[in-house]
Amino acid sequence: MVKIQSSETASNARGKDEGRASRRRGAELESALLEAAWEELKAVGYESLTMEGVAERAGTSRTVLYRRWPSRLELVLAALRHRGLVRTGTVPNTGSLREDVLALLRLVSDRVSEVGPQNLSALLSGVFADTGATAAVEDHFMNHNADVMEIILKRAADRGEIRGDISTRIATLPVDLVRHELLLARTPSSKLDIIEIVDAVFLPLVLTQKQA
Amino acid sequence: MVKIQSSETASNARGKDEGRASRRRGAELESALLEAAWEELKAVGYESLTMEGVAERAGTSRTVLYRRWPSRLELVLAALRHRGLVRTGTVPNTGSLREDVLALLRLVSDRVSEVGPQNLSALLSGVFADTGATAAVEDHFMNHNADVMEIILKRAADRGEIRGDISTRIATLPVDLVRHELLLARTPSSKLDIIEIVDAVFLPLVLTQKQA
DNA sequence: ATGTTAAGATGCAAGTTGTACCCTAAGGAG
DNA sequence: CTCCTTAGGGTACAACTTGCATCTTAACAT
């Protein structure tokens, strides 16, 4: 493992700034610790991440870490939460079911692509490493967007595009498939894939249900 | 970590049996190593598994392990392959498309349930942590079963159940959805979920394509 | 019998973990 | 201001793991 010397972090921790306390305390310190953990996770991956490595990157000692988190796993998960990978709650409203769903999938896809493939691997590794899974992480990163799809489908039904009783399995299918590709390839779905998911899978299913 | 002393394994390795070589060699040794790795994985989970622990359980030295596998991740993955958690190449042939696909999904599901949710999490964590992902692992664990589905669909087309040109996206959909649930919930899909995937999603799509 | 290969054992340096303990900066109360 | 408390930062230690080098010798082939 190659140690990365983080001179900026070290100098901040040791009170080189003027008119400022030399020691970080409380929330400021905790934020710095979690940021360091995230950076370390990105740099070396979960498998090679050590408490020592994070402490060094944060310009502190392991004792400080262990005062807050009993294990590297807990630390990493806390770091993921700290990064605030939350869902937006945005509901596309284009006037057409197809366009709404395409827009949603692109939104999901774009948001994830901000993370980057290496970070994505690190993130997923951390998520799966939690054997006592925290629902919050999964809710934020892996939720079905069922509520958003419900609104989109209700609007489509009100417009008369489809019937109003699409099952949850089908309602969540597009996002599920995008996420599936994300998990397999660790990169977001391509634009063509998104269109295929909507046109070849989702629309035939909801339109079939309408006709039946 | 509580060390489990495996006296049977140790005595076998040290030649206490009569009329038998004292040292295991070749395939016999490798099988014993992989079995020990599996037992250790079940006993302590991936996070706490060590090469030393596996070696001890196998009644051998770490050197022997390192001669075959460069890391604990590779060892564990090899152990899982050894357990037959690979695709078997089995192609269900029941005479009905629906039953074939159900049988395949159950096969995939049952096989994965042997691992156990805790170990599955650990395994997936390890897979994602390996930023230079080994293609073989993904092939074995995360493949689309496209070849199997191709055979099933060809048979169905020969029987006249469906048309012969189902897209790959749709052909792989059932297995993709089962895997998706596996990744999200870290437990295999329920029997009801499998039936829903086939009856509410897959069959309407392939039957729609036939009618069009 | 000899020669080769691989299993098993051991030791070592480097590194990590989890913890105990010490010093003292920082903050609050009086 | 002083005094007290808390928590940050540092260090040391024992135990453990890793990755590797090296040696011995059982097992097998010729």
Side-chain angles (χ1 to χ4, degrees):
Chain A
M1 188 179 85
V2 180
K3 290 288 181 79
I4 298 161
Q5 185 69 10
S6 180
S7 52
E8 312 97 338
T9 307
S11 67
N12 282 345
R14 302 213 185 117
K16 299 302 196 306
D17 298 334
E18 297 175 358
R20 249 200 73 162
S22 62
R23 281 185 185 178
R24 298 156 302 182
R25 275 177 86 87
E28 179 197 1
L29 174 63
E30 189 152 316
S31 180
L33 296 178
L34 293 172
E35 199 60 31
W38 173 245
E39 293 296 326
E40 189 73 6
L41 184 64
K42 287 192 298 180
V44 306
Y46 180 75
E47 192 76 16
S48 302
L49 180 140
T50 64
M51 298 299 267
E52 181 65 41
V54 174
E56 222 174 282
R57 185 177 285 265
T60 189
S61 67
R62 285 176 288 124
T63 310
V64 178
L65 295 180
Y66 280 113
R67 282 194 188 122
R68 292 164 171 75
W69 302 286
S71 68
R72 67 174 191 147
L73 176 57
E74 295 292 334
L75 170 59
V76 167
L77 293 172
L80 294 176
R81 279 182 221 114
H82 182 68
R83 292 296 297 185
L85 295 169
V86 297
R87 43 181 204 148
T88 63
T90 305
V91 185
N93 191 4
T94 65
S96 137
L97 174 63
R98 179 174 185 268
E99 294 302 325
D100 281 352
V101 178
L102 284 173
L104 175 64
L105 297 186
R106 287 177 189 137
L107 200 61
V108 170
S109 202
D110 290 346
R111 178 159 301 275
V112 169
S113 69
E114 291 174 24
V115 181
Q118 297 266 10
N119 296 338
L120 192 53
S121 277
L123 175 65
L124 290 172
S125 176
V127 169
F128 285 118
D130 182 3
T131 52
T134 59
V137 175
E138 297 193 2
D139 183 47
H140 288 172
F141 189 71
M142 294 192 175
N143 76 80
H144 291 271
N145 279 281
D147 49 349
V148 178
M149 281 303 299
E150 191 177 317
I151 297 172
I152 288 176
L153 290 173
K154 184 174 189 310
R155 287 186 185 141
D158 289 347
R159 291 193 294 268
E161 288 188 80
I162 58 171
R163 227 169 59 176
D165 55 345
I166 306 295
S167 69
T168 302
R169 167 74 60 182
I170 289 171
T172 57
L173 195 54
V175 173
D176 285 352
L177 288 177
V178 166
R179 185 190 300 107
H180 177 266
E181 296 205 358
L182 167 69
L183 292 173
L184 256 67
R186 273 155 279 174
T187 57
S189 305
S190 71
K191 291 186 195 301
L192 287 182
D193 282 333
I194 287 175
I195 291 173
E196 185 185 18
I197 286 168
V198 173
D199 288 349
V201 179
F202 179 68
L203 287 182
L205 284 173
V206 291
L207 295 178
T208 301
Q209 288 203 18
K210 182 188 178 186
Q211 290 158 11
Chain B
M1 188 179 86
V2 181
K3 291 287 181 80
I4 298 162
Q5 185 69 6
S6 180
S7 51
E8 312 97 340
T9 307
S11 68
N12 282 345
R14 302 209 185 116
K16 299 301 193 326
D17 296 333
E18 299 175 359
R20 249 198 77 162
S22 61
R23 281 185 184 179
R24 298 155 302 182
R25 277 179 83 89
E28 179 197 359
L29 172 66
E30 189 152 314
S31 180
L33 297 178
L34 293 171
E35 199 59 32
W38 171 245
E39 292 295 328
E40 190 72 5
L41 181 66
K42 287 194 300 182
V44 306
Y46 178 74
E47 193 75 16
S48 303
L49 178 140
T50 63
M51 299 298 267
E52 181 64 43
V54 173
E56 221 174 281
R57 186 178 286 266
T60 188
S61 67
R62 286 177 288 126
T63 311
V64 178
L65 296 179
Y66 280 113
R67 285 194 186 123
R68 291 164 173 74
W69 302 286
S71 68
R72 66 174 192 146
L73 177 58
E74 295 292 336
L75 170 61
V76 167
L77 294 173
L80 290 168
R81 276 183 224 113
H82 181 68
R83 292 294 300 184
L85 294 173
V86 296
R87 39 184 211 140
T88 62
T90 306
V91 184
N93 191 1
T94 63
S96 137
L97 174 63
R98 178 175 185 267
E99 293 302 325
D100 280 354
V101 179
L102 284 173
L104 175 65
L105 296 185
R106 286 179 189 134
L107 198 62
V108 171
S109 202
D110 290 346
R111 187 159 297 276
V112 169
S113 69
E114 291 177 25
V115 182
Q118 300 262 14
N119 292 329
L120 189 55
S121 277
L123 174 64
L124 290 172
S125 175
V127 169
F128 284 119
D130 182 356
T131 52
T134 59
V137 177
E138 299 194 359
D139 184 47
H140 287 173
F141 192 73
M142 296 194 174
N143 77 82
H144 293 268
N145 279 278
D147 49 351
V148 178
M149 282 303 300
E150 190 177 316
I151 297 172
I152 288 175
L153 289 173
K154 183 174 189 311
R155 287 187 185 140
D158 289 348
R159 293 194 295 265
E161 288 188 77
I162 57 169
R163 225 169 61 179
D165 56 344
I166 306 297
S167 68
T168 303
R169 168 72 63 182
I170 289 170
T172 57
L173 195 54
V175 173
D176 285 351
L177 287 176
V178 166
R179 185 190 301 105
H180 177 264
E181 296 205 358
L182 167 69
L183 291 173
L184 256 68
R186 272 156 280 174
T187 57
S189 305
S190 70
K191 292 187 197 300
L192 286 182
D193 283 333
I194 287 176
I195 291 173
E196 184 185 18
I197 286 168
V198 173
D199 288 349
V201 179
F202 179 67
L203 286 182
L205 284 174
V206 291
L207 295 179
T208 301
Q209 288 203 21
K210 183 189 177 186
Q211 290 157 11

